[in-house]
Amino acid sequence: MRRLILWDIDGTLITTRGVGRRVMEEAVAAVAGIAEVPSIVMSGKTDPQILREIFRAAELADDHIDSILPDAIAAAEAALATAEADLRAHGSVLPGVQELLERLDAADGVRQTLLTGNLTANAAVKVGAFDLTHLFDAEIGAYGSDHADRLELVPIALERAQRFRGETYEPDEVWVIGDTPNDLACARAGGVRCLLVGTGGQEGLEALGPDAYLDDLGDVDRAVTILTA
């Protein structure tokens, strides 16, 4: 058996209980001087996409957005690094996640990494805040820093697995695990399998037809069977 497991973070591994949203809004306010930051749907999107959508909702011109986006990305990274203790205090690992990660980590032929809209630095802060870092081969992951379009991320992870680990995977050996329709779309665009979980608050996920669906990851035995059978 060989498996490459590509994990989403927010709503799948952990909940930030608003800390992640606050950090993004603080970054926007700091860079653009916006007193009242527009609220947008953030789940399932990459951080650069989120920042651009907030700026557009604030009616900034596209050329101005292009000029300030790099500063906003840097501000978002700095803000989350500063908020790590707050993230640890208010956020949490979702049910079953720790045990499932450890079970998969101990399984022969399984490699786990991250596939997330988070910027690379912010992904590291989030998994590090809950002592999960050692369970992921983060170097071969794919992040919002790599591409603003989530649909482009699976090929990036597969290429890195081949380049850095000398490993190639068949489509049925790769799983994307996430909690939004965008995670499923990302898996389909990359030609790999998808397990959706209901822990991010999205409704109707099972009806979208993922390869597997679980309300949460609390039934670790079932999750392991799905991912390794």
Side-chain angles (χ1 to χ4, degrees):
M1 180 196 69
R2 298 171 71 253
R3 293 289 184 273
L4 179 64
I5 312 295
L6 306 172
W7 284 94
D8 173 54
I9 296 177
D10 299 285
T12 303
L13 294 173
I14 67 168
T15 176
T16 71
R17 289 195 169 85
V19 174
R21 173 177 287 274
R22 190 194 77 211
V23 161
M24 298 299 284
E25 292 177 346
E26 286 177 357
V28 166
V31 170
I34 300 172
E36 189 168 333
V37 177
S39 179
I40 68 161
V41 174
M42 296 186 182
S43 60
K45 299 175 182 178
T46 67
D47 284 354
Q49 179 185 1
I50 289 167
L51 291 167
R52 187 176 290 277
E53 287 186 11
I54 294 174
F55 287 137
R56 283 179 173 161
E59 301 183 346
L60 274 63
D62 282 346
D63 58 347
H64 183 44
I65 295 172
D66 290 341
S67 70
I68 65 175
L69 190 60
D71 289 338
I73 287 171
E77 291 173 341
L80 189 62
T82 301
E84 182 173 357
D86 197 21
L87 177 63
R88 189 178 295 110
H90 297 285
S92 63
V93 178
L94 289 164
V97 165
Q98 181 86 38
E99 183 182 349
L100 177 56
L101 290 173
E102 291 174 352
R103 290 268 299 274
L104 292 171
D105 184 60
D108 289 338
V110 176
R111 187 179 297 279
Q112 300 184 93
T113 188
L114 300 167
L115 189 145
T116 172
N118 280 278
L119 301 165
T120 306
N122 286 4
V125 170
K126 287 181 178 179
V127 297
F130 301 102
D131 300 320
L132 301 175
T133 304
H134 65 287
L135 296 165
F136 302 106
D137 185 354
E139 185 180 27
I140 67 166
Y143 306 89
S145 302
D146 297 313
H147 206 293
D149 185 350
R150 196 182 191 103
L151 300 186
E152 301 293 334
L153 295 186
V154 168
I156 291 171
L158 294 176
E159 188 277 331
R160 286 177 174 162
Q162 195 282 324
R163 176 157 47 105
F164 294 126
R165 304 293 174 260
E167 298 172 355
T168 57
Y169 292 88
E170 296 299 321
D172 64 356
E173 295 175 330
V174 183
W175 283 90
V176 169
I177 306 178
D179 67 296
T180 73
N182 286 349
D183 295 292
L184 176 59
C186 173
R188 292 290 179 259
V192 301
R193 294 197 283 180
C194 183
L195 165 62
L196 289 180
V197 293
T199 44
Q202 297 267 343
E203 297 182 357
L205 293 178
E206 189 171 12
L208 297 177
D211 298 278
Y213 172 81
L214 294 171
D215 288 334
D216 59 45
L217 297 171
D219 188 341
V220 174
D221 288 339
R222 185 179 177 196
V224 169
T225 298
I226 288 170
L227 296 170
T228 61

